[in-house]
């Protein structure tokens, strides 16, 4: 200043921490990448810098741990790595995308049946990845048709969304009962009806105009006996097996 007096300003520049956490997007569940490994040097405290309280959690605030998103959260997340003694920090931001939800995700379906399979969010696909017992296919668009063949066993497929999030469809095909003959024509005599494929089960009361037709266990063999009665027409009977599969 004009009097010749002097004052010295000393500035200390502290080294900022280095945040090496990947900024690649992850998914909030499903079978694709669902966690984020924290990586940094020169700091001592990790935190989630977000206005929302449901964005997830980190396994450790004082070391390089893991961030896990909330199963209900999608959007941007910022992880801050800070050196408490200086207040210096470094941020890494990335996106959490929604994991696909498949309904039903693990169905047990009967041979010969068709089951509707839906997946959300829309816009993804199974991309021909379904594989399972011979004859079972997954066709159409969302909702898809799961067409069970005549072979039992397990199958699976992966639904992938545009951002790359994935989830699995796990299918079990179980045996439906087989009726032989399946559509008999009756005159005056009884007809023997065999049930095979799955043990245990029973027939319902039936529907249709031929109200006197009856299906009962045959006392002389393991089969059932169809008695025509006196009323002409048609009648349908549904057999429900012990595994809940049905055949009419």
């Amino acid at each position: 200043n004009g009097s010749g007096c002097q004052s010295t300003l000393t500035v200390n520049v502290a080294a900022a921490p280095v945040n090496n956490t990947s900024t690649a997007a992850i998914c909030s569940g499903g079978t694709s990448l669902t966690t984020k490994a924290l990586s940094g040097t020169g700091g001592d405290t990790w935190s989630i810098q977000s206005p929302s309280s449901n964005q997830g959690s980190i396994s450790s605030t004082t070391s390089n741990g893991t961030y896990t998103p909330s199963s209900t959260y999608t959007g941007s997340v910022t992880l801050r790595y800070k050196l408490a003694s200086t207040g210096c920090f470094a941020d890494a931001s990335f996106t959490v995308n929604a994991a696909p939800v498949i309904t039903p995700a693990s169905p047990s379906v009967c041979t010969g049946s068709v089951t509707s399979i839906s997946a959300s969010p829309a816009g993804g696909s199974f991309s021909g990845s379904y594989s399972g017992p011979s004859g079972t296919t997954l066709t159409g668009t969302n909702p898809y048709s799961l067409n069970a063949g005549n072979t039992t066993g397990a199958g699976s497929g992966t639904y992938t969304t545009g951002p790359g999030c994935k989830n699995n469809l796990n299918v079990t095909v179980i045996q439906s009962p087989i009726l032989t003959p399946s559509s008999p024509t009756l005159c005056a005599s009884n007809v023997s009806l065999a049930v095979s494929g799955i043990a245990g089960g029973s027939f319902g009361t039936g529907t249709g105009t031929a109200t006197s037709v009856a299906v009962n266990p045959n006392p002389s063999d393991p089969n059932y006996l169809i008695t025509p009665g006196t009323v002409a027409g048609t009648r349908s009977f549904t057999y429900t097996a012990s595994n809940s599969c049905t055949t009419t």
Side-chain angles (χ1 to χ4, degrees):
N1 58 28
S3 63
C5 295
Q6 296 180 347
S7 180
T8 301
L9 172 66
T10 301
V11 177
N12 294 316
V13 179
V18 177
N19 191 336
N20 293 317
T21 302
S22 168
T23 57
I26 61 173
C27 305
S28 59
T31 58
S32 45
L33 181 63
T34 57
T35 60
K36 177 75 68 174
L38 281 59
S39 175
T41 58
D44 52 23
T45 305
W46 285 98
S47 62
I48 302 174
Q49 296 297 304
S50 305
S52 175
S53 61
N54 71 333
Q55 291 190 336
S57 61
I58 52 179
S59 61
S60 174
T61 60
T62 58
S63 61
N64 291 343
T66 301
Y67 163 78
T68 302
S70 164
S71 61
T72 60
Y73 179 75
T74 58
S76 178
V77 173
T78 298
L79 300 181
R80 176 164 293 180
Y81 190 44
K82 182 177 180 180
L83 182 61
S85 61
T86 64
C88 296
F89 62 86
D91 290 343
S93 299
F94 53 91
T95 300
V96 177
N97 292 306
V101 176
I102 301 172
T103 306
S106 301
S108 290
V109 298
C110 304
T111 54
S113 67
V114 178
T115 303
S116 179
I117 303 293
S118 62
S120 63
S125 70
F126 282 95
S127 300
S129 67
Y130 178 80
S131 62
S134 175
T136 296
T137 59
L138 190 67
T139 60
T141 56
N142 201 358
Y144 301 86
S145 292
L146 178 64
N147 311 288
N150 294 320
T151 303
T152 61
S156 64
T158 300
Y159 182 82
T160 305
T161 63
C165 295
K166 301 178 180 181
N167 215 343
N168 288 342
L169 168 68
N170 297 299
V171 177
T172 302
V173 180
I174 57 178
Q175 181 64 54
S176 293
I178 301 171
L179 306 182
T180 307
S182 59
S183 300
T185 298
L186 309 181
C187 293
S189 58
N190 299 336
V191 173
S192 180
L193 176 66
V195 179
S196 59
I198 179 72
S202 62
F203 281 98
T205 56
T207 59
T209 57
T211 55
S212 60
V213 174
V215 180
N216 294 296
N218 191 336
S220 62
D221 62 43
N223 295 336
Y224 287 80
L225 197 65
I226 308 175
T227 55
T230 59
V231 180
T234 60
R235 195 162 183 83
S236 296
F237 294 86
T238 298
Y239 184 87
T240 302
S242 56
N243 63 0
S244 297
C245 290
T246 62
T247 298
T248 300

